Amino acid sequence: MGGAGHPVRDAVTLDPPGPLAGGGVVLAAATLLTGGCGSGEAGSRTEARDSAGVTIVENRLPDDARLPWRVDPEPSLTIGTPDGPEPYQLYQVLGATRLSDGSIAVANAGTAELRVFGRDGEFIGAAGGQGGGPGEFRSMTLVGRLGGDSVLLYDGRARRFSVMAPGPAFARSFGPGAGVGEGGLAAVGVLGTGAIAVQGPSAFPEGLAGGTVIAPARPLLVLTGGGGLEAVLDTFPTRPTLFESDGGFSFTLVPFTTGPALAVGGGRVHVGPEQRYEVRSYDPRTGDLVRLTRLEREPRLVTDEDIGRAVEAAVDRAESDEAGARLRRSYAAMELPDTMPAHGRLLVDRPGNLWVEAYRAHGDELRLWTVFDPNGAVRGTVELPPDLYIFEIGEDWILGVARDELDLPYVVVHGLERPTAE
């Protein structure tokens, strides 16, 4: 987690961030590729290096790096209602994808249904439902689009993938094959070939003692379209968690940690370990690391004010006063990182650009993303609506979910203008 850290109750100790998990790559001589990122984009510098077949792209971004791209502040389409017809009442929206005709498939996990809405927001149909039979779900995550506008869903409790054909209608289901392991999986996304990127089962240590911070390792795997193991990409630690066993057991996430950020797109699987601003891109067919995309930046230090806001936010979300008091005790005993994660989520838009979210601590309102082109050269930054959780980014639209003052979800589409050529 970097340095010795510091308990929540103590002053901040300024130690450097820890080393990158999974080792490093020896750099060869640098070759300057560009002195900028194209007309109308940030005046950045990009260098490429090569080592043992791995392309290493080093980027520098000036303070004034905003792209001239424009995101409409108000959505052009909103799906959801608090008290209208039942198909429009959304609950636990855990994914959405835009299909080729502009319609939108929504994973409404609260009813375990895939609901499809037309490009005008009109309800078209639903498939699925609670249960353990074919086409039913005990839990639901939308993994991504397959060919022909079919949609792949994953049921973590049943450990089963389901394909929903257009309509929507249940088409088939399958489980992970031999070699994947027996524990729980976490779906990452679908590649253009129909292969599926997943996080494999966690390797929990045995004989855990109370008060221990653990970060179990999980392999990053690629499965075939039928669930068979195709490639093992690498293994990464999960988000650090405090394990406690006083009168039972509980797990409390360590603040200012994220675990690896994961995304698929452009024929690659991308991983961003939290310790430094670096995105690792893998060939899903061979499992080889093919590119490292880096951005030079100063780490953001964790302050006492940051800690106080994080603790109070967690306590406010606690289910009871007793749970809140337990959280305070847990946080007081933790050693926290001295610097915040290098970045937040990763996304790959449909044109193939990599979007990297700036890490947002409690109280941060600005939602800023840095955009890299398909070759890893930085293009600049884009500010997105503050309350929007993004699912997908197209050529001229952004699909996500927003919430109202009652915390009710709405699937929304915002327009996106890109004045520069892609």
Side-chain angles (χ1 to χ4, degrees), residues 1-3 5-6 12-18 255-257 274-276 297-303 306 336-342 359:
M1 293 196 303
H6 58 276
V12 176
T13 303
L14 304 183
D15 290 340
F256 311 112
T257 61
E274 69 174 86
Q275 294 93 337
R276 65 178 296 175
R297 59 181 292 279
E298 290 296 322
R300 179 179 172 185
L301 302 178
V302 175
T303 68
D306 294 324
L336 301 185
D338 300 318
T339 58
M340 296 187 184
Y359 177 76

Side-chain angles (χ1 to χ4, degrees), residues 57-415:
V57 186
E58 305 274 2
N59 293 285
R60 300 170 183 83
L61 193 64
D63 292 336
D64 184 16
R66 295 294 178 91
L67 286 168
W69 299 357
R70 180 182 180 275
V71 180
D72 292 341
E74 297 299 326
S76 59
L77 177 67
T78 300
I79 300 170
T81 179
D83 52 12
E86 193 278 333
Y88 298 90
Q89 296 183 30
L90 303 179
Y91 178 51
Q92 291 184 352
V93 175
L94 296 187
T97 185
R98 191 170 185 177
L99 306 179
S100 61
D101 62 355
S103 60
I104 297 173
V106 177
N108 192 60
T111 59
E113 291 178 306
L114 182 72
R115 296 180 178 179
V116 178
F117 301 85
R119 61 186 308 153
D120 58 356
E122 182 178 357
F123 176 68
I124 293 176
Q130 295 282 354
E136 296 178 334
F137 301 89
R138 286 182 279 177
S139 67
M140 171 184 281
T141 301
L142 191 148
V143 185
R145 294 176 300 118
L146 297 169
D149 276 345
S150 293
V151 176
L152 183 68
L153 301 165
Y154 180 62
D155 185 337
R157 293 183 183 176
R159 208 165 181 261
R160 179 176 64 191
F161 295 92
S162 293
V163 177
M164 295 295 187
F170 171 69
R172 62 186 176 94
S173 63
F174 57 91
V180 177
E182 297 299 326
L185 305 178
V188 176
V190 179
L191 292 137
T193 60
I196 311 161
V198 302
Q199 285 182 289
S202 300
F204 277 86
E206 297 182 358
L208 286 176
T212 302
V213 173
I214 60 173
R218 297 190 80 167
L220 183 59
L221 312 174
V222 176
L223 310 183
T224 67
L229 180 61
E230 185 165 306
V232 179
L233 305 186
D234 211 334
T235 300
F236 297 91
T238 56
R239 183 174 177 181
T241 305
L242 177 67
F243 171 75
E244 297 173 281
S245 59
D246 184 14
F249 64 90
S250 63
F251 295 89
T252 303
L253 293 172
V254 176
F256 311 112
T257 61
T258 61
L262 306 169
V264 301
R268 297 286 183 260
V269 179
H270 308 278
V271 185
E274 69 174 86
Q275 294 93 337
R276 65 178 296 175
Y277 204 120
E278 176 177 271
V279 178
R280 301 180 173 193
S281 300
Y282 294 84
D283 185 330
R285 299 164 299 174
T286 64
D288 293 335
L289 175 66
V290 295
R291 189 176 72 215
L292 299 176
T293 301
R294 294 172 176 165
L295 182 66
E296 184 179 288
R297 59 181 292 279
E298 290 296 322
R300 179 179 172 185
L301 302 178
V302 175
T303 68
D304 287 336
E305 291 75 15
D306 294 324
I307 293 170
R309 285 193 295 266
V311 171
E312 292 307 317
V315 170
D316 287 345
R317 293 193 301 268
E319 297 179 353
S320 64
D321 291 344
E322 180 181 354
R326 184 189 64 77
L327 280 174
R328 288 191 187 278
R329 292 193 299 271
S330 297
Y331 291 138
M334 286 183 185
E335 291 185 350
L336 301 185
D338 300 318
T339 58
M340 296 187 184
H343 55 74
R345 299 173 61 212
L346 306 181
L347 285 173
V348 179
D349 65 17
R350 295 202 179 174
N353 298 292
L354 173 68
W355 294 58
V356 181
E357 183 183 29
Y359 177 76
R360 297 175 72 222
H362 292 283
D364 291 348
E365 294 186 359
L366 181 65
R367 179 158 287 181
L368 197 66
W369 293 70
T370 302
V371 184
F372 299 83
D373 74 13
N375 295 316
V378 67
R379 308 193 67 164
T381 60
V382 180
E383 183 179 351
L384 298 184
D387 298 324
L388 178 67
Y389 183 90
I390 302 172
F391 293 134
E392 292 183 340
I393 303 174
E395 179 68 47
D396 58 1
W397 51 265
I398 296 176
L399 172 66
V401 64
R403 295 182 176 275
D404 64 13
E405 62 278 2
L406 299 178
D407 204 33
L408 296 176
Y410 297 83
V411 174
V412 295
V413 177
H414 287 258

